[in-house]
Amino acid sequence: MNPTYQPAEVESRWYPVWEESGSFRPEVNPDGEPYSIVIPPPNVTGVLHMGHALDHAIQDAIIRRKRMQGYAALWLPGTDHAGIATQNVVERELRKEGLSRQDIGREAFIEKVWAWKAVSGDTIASQMRKLGDSTDWTRERFTFDDGLSAAVRKVFVTLYDEGLIYRANRIINWCPRCHTALSEIEVEHENDPGELTYIKYPFVDGSGFITVATTRPETMLGDTAIAVHPDDERYQDAIGKSVILPLMEREIPVVGDEGVEHEFGTGAVKVTPAHDLLDFEIGRRHDLDPIVVIDTEARITVDGGEFAGMDRFEAREAVRSRLREIDAIEAIEEHPHSVGHCSRCHTVVEPLLSLQWFVEVQPLVGPAIDAIRSGRTRFIPKRWEKNYFHWMENLQDWCVSRQLWWGHRIPAWYCDACGETIVSMEDPTECSCGEGELRRDEDVLDTWFSSALWPFTTLGWPNETADLAKFYPTSTLVTGFDIIFFWVARMMKMGLHFTDDAPFTDIVIHGMVRDTATGRKMSKSAGNALDPLELIDEYGADSVRLALIQAAAPGHDVPLQTEWVDAARRFGNKLWNATRFAVEFMDVSRVPVDGGYPENPGPEDAWILSRLGEVAAEMDRLLDDYRLADAYSLLYNFAWSEVFDWYLEMAKTIARDDDRVDTMRETLGIVVRDVLKLFHPAIPFVTEELWSHMTDGGELLVSAPWPKVPAYESPANVDSLVDLVTEVRRFRSQHQIARKTDIAVTIVSSNDPLPVWWLDQLGALANCSPANGQRPDSTAGHTRLSSCGVEAYIALVGLIDVEAERPRIEKVIADLEAAIDRSRAKLDNPNFKGRAPAEVVSQEEQRLGEVEAELVKQQRQLQELG
RNA sequence: GGGCGCUUAGCUCAGCGGGAGAGCGCUGCCUUCACACGGCAGAGGUCACUGGUUCGAUCCCAGUAGCGCCCACCA
């Protein structure tokens, strides 16, 4: 037997067995209640990173337990076509060949993306298998497969017919590098040093000038007005006058608008309706025609006069230096502010006036808020609900059109004769006007549009499939807080609108995996990412999973370092060795897959069984609350320190006792079996392997029933013996008494005959059986140990330096006295007895009694030292 | 400018109204025949600070300080 567990070989062996046996299909529990989770679909061209590993470890632990509990458990896998991200990847590949997507054309490009998907699209699926994800691959979906695409079209057409999708010319966020519009949540605001430039605009009538402050001087080329607050006393005379726009020599009005703040800058603002959202609205209120001076390449347009063709940042400097030449700059001061960047490529986004498709979100918001508020769907932890509400209540309409090629093409056609817009399920062939050619909209939909439909489209919607009826609404969604807005909120809105049900009952939010060294989120760009695949190769998937699960407190970021993965691996090794030892040396085998709890256990057996029952019950409570970290830390400690360090050691000795060997073996088998079961959702591979060695064969652990442990009562005697043994060990350790036989322990009395294990651990002399044990003639020179009906003496003379023991006992006595004082003060307080629950009072009294008894014992020991 | 979270053992974090916990690290002893990736025994904390509520506060409330995150059209 190899003393070290080798995960790689074992892990590669089990996944195919599980998958081929159909164990991941809900059909394994045909009569079970349905329980379903849809996976947050990873990018189809992506690779597994730590965030996935965490997300998947949690989901897998949840679904595996539900499966074992007998639910018809479905974890539905799939991938996202990930519009911009995927297109960027393929364009990068093309560029290596010196080509752009425009060079090869739309059709060829899309073929290229599909080809890319065919090669790299399975990567994530095979990596999920390595991780052990028990997803039902027969139900795998892709946001761009035929079924989902048809559903996307149906949703678009329906919303259009309901008036909830419209096309309009608005200020949108434009990424000049990706060449597409973005929604506002795809814009990341970052701090920028920035400068505020104060520019003087002279009045037409020659009565001086008005000064405005701007962080973007280049946009002045498109100014169509100056705005001040209508109540601003400084500018009462100015409203209604006109100024000359410097450099452009255009006459523009000064208007009063309530959107302007008194305090900021000079209280007067330049208005550039084509390049700023606030300015756009001011422009609309005052009937100002926008002038576009920055194009989709972020260059100055022909309307920008002498600056035409310049890049926007180049133009910023050029405009400033020209203004300086004509003495139109009053001041330039530092002004830190935040600037929007494209969340994909980090380019500074440009607010542009553009014709785009929008979803009107307000009518969808109400039901999505109600579902949470009423408790039909809940966030875990609950505090995320506040973020969700706040975000929902402040939504702008969702810009859903993207100027990309990879995505669901918008099903809208325009007639070049009459200008009619046709949005329909079927591709139209001609316009109702009878003339003119129909031209299809070039744009595709935001990736998140199809993701928003994921919980029901993956189950067959709009068809009324059996899966949709059975598994929708889904039970639980597990995801990171970073996509609550992108994804969760939109699924809630779309789900409620199209199915009348919220798509899930529980929304479990976890944090980001953080690197403990830098304290930062793990990411490739930060350069601090641990690669889960490398960790799996080195430590095994079980170890990575257990480390993540144990670190994942609900709703908090998850710190991780390789040392923890190594600790988890060492646990796997321990589990491996302990179980193999039980099987090979203790003859624990052919354990029943369920039940089989001993009816007449010995005292030690009853003790471990009672602990098993407590741990299993507590785990169920914790797991039902999604507190996986607590549940698995509890089990980890129980398994290691109680089952392996205590019970297994007891069992070795007890096994020599013919009368007890059978129940011991039975108990050991059952306890280890249930530990494997309880651990399986977290560490499926090693538990399945060990299970195969100890059960009577045939049935896989993956679909074995979850433990239901009957209640056992732990004999009080065992607990006190544990204390006694610990005390003897401490004594020996402290006085460096290496061999047990170097110490003479006399058992004077015991309520029950002591099993040989205890005598051995205590180092008691074989001839000092408890029944006829004699108290030493003189207790002086002995130390007396007693605990709950057991009394024992250790002979000290000639064994230790008596004086070395004295200070320790004195410190213990001092601590006990302090505890007694505290306890007495509490009990003497009439308010305590009057107002605290009776239970607490009696508990306190009992504690005082125990501490006092301990004090007496310690004092006697001190005396007996002589 | 709003909102949220965090501050507990050397490190990373649990706990959250009634006796301060885990992992890793540290100290001592043990190569004992499942595991030295192990065993046994230990050391180590005024639970950020200040008030309040309570019979009782690490836990609840208010405030202070430090750290982190999210949202935001003050140009």
Side-chain angles (χ1 to χ4, degrees):
Chain A
M1 177 167 113
N2 190 332
T4 304
Y5 172 55
Q6 306 290 344
E9 185 270 330
V10 169
E11 293 188 355
S12 62
R13 193 145 35 75
W14 282 108
Y15 200 94
V17 175
W18 290 329
E19 193 176 352
E20 283 155 25
S21 69
S23 299
F24 299 159
R25 310 198 67 222
E27 285 78 5
V28 294
N29 291 324
D31 303 324
E33 287 278 306
Y35 187 95
S36 52
I37 298 177
V38 290
I39 203 165
N43 290 0
V44 66
T45 57
V47 292
L48 197 82
H49 57 64
M50 262 309 160
H52 293 125
L54 170 68
D55 194 55
H56 294 200
I58 293 170
Q59 289 172 73
D60 199 39
I62 292 171
I63 205 75
R64 281 178 183 269
R65 170 165 171 263
K66 290 293 176 184
R67 186 179 297 123
M68 292 172 78
Q69 286 178 321
Y71 288 85
L74 169 63
W75 185 16
L76 189 147
T79 47
D80 195 299
H81 68 283
I84 291 192
T86 303
Q87 175 163 320
N88 282 351
V89 168
V90 177
E91 283 193 280
R92 206 174 304 137
E93 290 297 306
L94 267 184
R95 216 168 300 130
K96 286 181 192 162
E97 304 166 33
L99 294 169
S100 73
R101 72 175 206 257
Q102 286 78 10
D103 291 338
I104 64 171
R106 185 166 190 146
E107 222 166 289
F109 179 76
I110 288 175
E111 262 174 46
K112 196 102 183 160
V113 182
W114 278 108
W116 174 258
K117 187 232 171 209
V119 209
S120 70
D122 285 340
T123 306
I124 197 103
S126 72
Q127 291 173 335
M128 284 169 63
R129 287 179 167 88
K130 278 191 101 170
L131 200 56
D133 291 354
S134 63
T135 49
D136 180 357
W137 293 104
T138 66
R139 286 175 164 89
E140 183 181 7
R141 300 304 296 265
F142 175 47
T143 53
F144 212 10
D145 66 28
D146 289 345
L148 265 65
S149 297
V152 164
R153 181 151 178 180
K154 171 150 180 114
V155 165
F156 188 95
V157 172
T158 306
L159 288 174
Y160 180 81
D161 290 344
E162 290 171 340
L164 295 179
I165 278 187
Y166 62 91
R167 194 172 186 228
N169 219 358
R170 292 276 182 85
I171 297 280
I172 47 87
N173 295 290
W174 180 268
C175 175
R177 202 218 59 87
C178 300
H179 291 106
T180 182
L182 304 170
S183 64
E184 76 273 15
I185 52 176
E186 287 165 287
V187 176
E188 291 174 357
H189 293 270
E190 287 169 27
N191 289 332
D192 185 276
E195 285 173 333
L196 206 50
T197 306
Y198 290 80
I199 308 173
K200 296 184 284 192
Y201 287 46
F203 286 107
V204 171
D205 61 13
S207 59
F209 50 81
I210 188 166
T211 305
V212 300
T214 180
T215 52
R216 306 193 52 201
E218 70 280 12
T219 61
M220 68 153 315
L221 304 172
D223 283 359
T224 58
I226 298 287
V228 297
H229 196 280
D231 298 338
D232 195 326
E233 290 173 6
R234 293 169 291 180
Y235 298 116
Q236 288 304 309
D237 293 345
I239 297 174
K241 286 190 182 178
S242 290
V243 295
I244 303 287
L245 178 61
L247 305 179
M248 302 304 287
E249 306 302 326
R250 194 157 67 226
E251 201 171 302
I252 59 175
V254 177
V255 300
D257 192 283
E258 302 199 336
V260 180
E261 302 279 332
H262 289 76
E263 294 77 20
F264 190 87
T266 60
V269 60
K270 56 190 268 322
V271 181
T272 320
H275 299 289
D276 183 277
L277 189 56
L278 175 66
D279 292 6
F280 178 74
E281 282 163 12
I282 293 175
R284 222 165 27 178
R285 288 195 282 268
H286 298 277
D287 225 13
L288 305 166
D289 285 332
I291 301 173
V292 174
V293 292
I294 299 174
D295 67 14
T296 55
E297 301 288 333
R299 290 180 182 279
I300 305 300
T301 65
V302 289
D303 289 327
E306 60 184 291
F307 305 95
M310 281 188 191
D311 171 77
R312 56 185 163 166
F313 297 122
E314 193 186 339
R316 180 172 301 173
E317 287 313 312
V319 165
R320 261 214 301 228
S321 76
R322 282 286 287 121
L323 286 171
R324 221 178 266 120
E325 280 169 34
I326 61 168
D327 195 28
I329 291 187
E330 191 172 279
I332 294 176
E333 59 187 41
E334 288 183 0
H335 180 68
H337 66 309
S338 78
V339 174
H341 294 70
C342 171
S343 61
R344 274 288 142 213
C345 73
H346 247 65
T347 303
V348 173
V349 298
E350 196 59 43
L352 282 190
L353 188 61
S354 178
L355 185 59
Q356 302 285 345
W357 286 93
F358 296 86
V359 173
E360 186 185 345
V361 292
Q362 272 315 314
L364 307 175
V365 163
I369 287 180
D370 287 348
I372 302 292
R373 206 156 261 159
S374 68
R376 274 180 294 145
T377 297
R378 56 177 188 149
F379 274 89
I380 293 127
K382 199 172 168 52
R383 65 187 157 83
W384 289 107
E385 293 180 0
K386 215 180 267 183
N387 281 46
Y388 172 89
F389 289 141
H390 183 258
W391 189 72
M392 279 286 190
E393 284 157 4
N394 294 289
L395 274 183
Q396 296 171 27
D397 283 356
W398 176 14
C399 176
V400 290
S401 43
R402 296 288 177 276
Q403 288 64 53
L404 306 172
W405 286 351
W406 178 242
H408 299 99
R409 191 147 173 198
I410 291 176
W413 283 259
Y414 311 106
C415 173
D416 66 3
C418 68
E420 177 74 8
T421 298
I422 302 170
V423 171
S424 72
M425 283 306 290
E426 305 301 325
D427 291 6
T429 49
E430 58 180 15
C431 181
S432 56
C433 73
E435 307 162 30
E437 291 282 305
L438 288 177
R439 184 176 48 79
R440 185 167 187 176
D441 195 304
E442 293 291 323
D443 294 350
V444 302
L445 287 165
D446 183 359
T447 276
W448 296 99
F449 192 91
S450 54
S451 320
L453 319 175
W454 185 250
F456 50 99
T457 53
T458 50
L459 291 168
W461 189 94
N463 300 316
E464 289 172 14
T465 60
D467 271 7
L468 190 67
K470 184 162 186 174
F471 297 111
Y472 189 87
T474 67
S475 312
T476 302
L477 176 79
V478 178
T479 194
F481 58 68
D482 55 333
I483 54 175
I484 291 177
F485 300 151
F486 277 103
W487 193 45
V488 180
R490 286 165 174 168
M491 284 191 287
M492 289 294 288
K493 284 184 289 193
M494 291 296 199
L496 282 156
H497 192 71
F498 285 96
T499 71
D500 290 332
D501 274 312
F504 0 78
T505 305
D506 290 344
I507 301 170
V508 176
I509 300 293
H510 61 246
M512 304 292 109
V513 180
R514 270 189 307 112
D515 163 25
T516 58
T518 63
R520 295 172 62 191
K521 177 183 168 182
M522 274 188 193
S523 71
K524 234 189 274 178
S525 52
N528 63 346
L530 289 171
D531 181 351
L533 297 156
E534 285 175 16
L535 287 175
I536 288 172
D537 286 343
E538 190 174 353
Y539 299 97
D542 284 334
S543 309
V544 174
R545 296 169 58 121
L546 185 58
L548 286 167
I549 285 174
Q550 284 191 299
H556 286 94
D557 280 345
V558 179
L560 187 72
Q561 49 196 46
T562 51
E563 287 79 1
W564 302 359
V565 182
D566 192 51
R569 186 190 58 81
R570 292 206 303 272
F571 176 79
N573 189 51
K574 182 75 181 177
L575 186 65
W576 169 265
N577 276 292
T579 307
R580 298 286 299 226
F581 173 75
V583 170
E584 290 173 22
F585 291 88
M586 309 288 290
D587 289 331
V588 168
S589 62
R590 308 190 65 79
V591 176
V593 297
D594 196 28
Y597 298 96
E599 285 178 22
N600 294 302
E604 293 80 9
D605 306 324
W607 165 71
I608 197 68
L609 286 164
S610 81
R611 287 290 300 135
L612 174 69
E614 287 168 9
V615 167
E618 181 64 13
M619 276 192 78
D620 275 329
R621 271 193 294 278
L622 293 167
L623 291 173
D624 284 342
D625 288 341
Y626 301 100
R627 293 172 57 179
L628 279 70
D630 293 334
Y632 280 99
S633 296
L634 174 72
L635 183 61
Y636 180 103
N637 288 309
F638 169 69
W640 201 317
S641 33
E642 295 182 69
V643 179
F644 302 150
D645 287 345
W646 278 95
Y647 186 68
L648 195 55
E649 292 303 320
M650 290 173 182
K652 284 182 192 172
T653 316
I654 293 168
R656 296 187 207 124
D657 182 342
D658 281 348
D659 292 344
R660 306 198 39 198
V661 66
D662 288 341
T663 47
M664 180 284 306
R665 193 173 288 159
E666 204 180 345
T667 304
L668 181 60
I670 295 299
V671 171
V672 172
R673 178 202 69 189
D674 282 359
V675 165
L676 293 180
K677 283 186 177 186
L678 294 167
F679 258 121
H680 182 260
I683 46 173
F685 295 105
V686 67
T687 48
E688 185 74 77
E689 172 72 13
L690 291 168
W691 172 269
S692 73
H693 291 291
M694 66 179 289
T695 55
D696 50 11
E699 195 165 337
L700 291 168
L701 175 54
V702 67
S703 47
W706 189 247
K708 285 196 214 61
V709 186
Y712 284 90
E713 200 165 329
S714 174
N717 200 7
V718 175
D719 293 331
S720 63
L721 280 167
V722 168
D723 292 343
L724 204 57
V725 166
T726 304
E727 202 164 344
V728 169
R729 284 175 179 170
R730 186 203 57 70
F731 184 87
R732 288 200 355 240
S733 174
Q734 179 155 353
H735 299 292
Q736 309 207 350
I737 300 161
R739 290 187 301 169
K740 274 183 248 179
T741 49
D742 286 349
I743 174 174
V745 176
T746 307
I747 309 276
V748 170
S749 65
S750 167
N751 290 347
D752 301 304
L754 288 183
V756 62
W757 148 259
W758 299 105
L759 292 174
D760 184 60
Q761 289 300 307
L762 290 168
L765 300 172
N767 61 359
C768 290
S769 68
N772 57 12
Q774 298 291 309
R775 192 176 296 239
D777 292 340
S778 161
T779 53
H782 286 70
T783 191
R784 180 174 180 276
L785 308 171
S786 67
S787 188
C788 197
V790 182
E791 185 181 349
Y793 288 85
I794 302 176
L796 300 177
V797 176
L799 199 60
I800 61 160
D801 176 4
V802 170
E803 290 310 311
E805 185 73 354
R806 196 188 300 279
R808 187 193 66 82
I809 297 178
E810 281 167 349
K811 181 174 186 302
V812 171
I813 287 173
D815 290 348
L816 288 169
E817 282 171 344
I820 288 169
D821 287 348
R822 246 180 296 132
S823 194
R824 284 227 178 94
K826 214 176 197 179
L827 288 164
D828 287 346
N829 181 347
N831 282 329
F832 177 67
K833 283 206 167 164
R835 305 199 192 191
E839 194 184 298
V840 173
V841 175
S842 68
Q843 197 185 324
E844 189 63 37
E845 283 167 344
Q846 192 188 334
R847 187 180 307 148
L848 178 61
E850 283 167 15
V851 176
E852 282 174 336
E854 183 64 22
L855 179 65
V856 170
K857 176 175 144 188
Q858 294 292 336
Q859 284 171 335
R860 187 162 2 169
Q861 273 195 31
L862 194 60
Q863 257 172 25
E864 285 164 355
L865 283 177

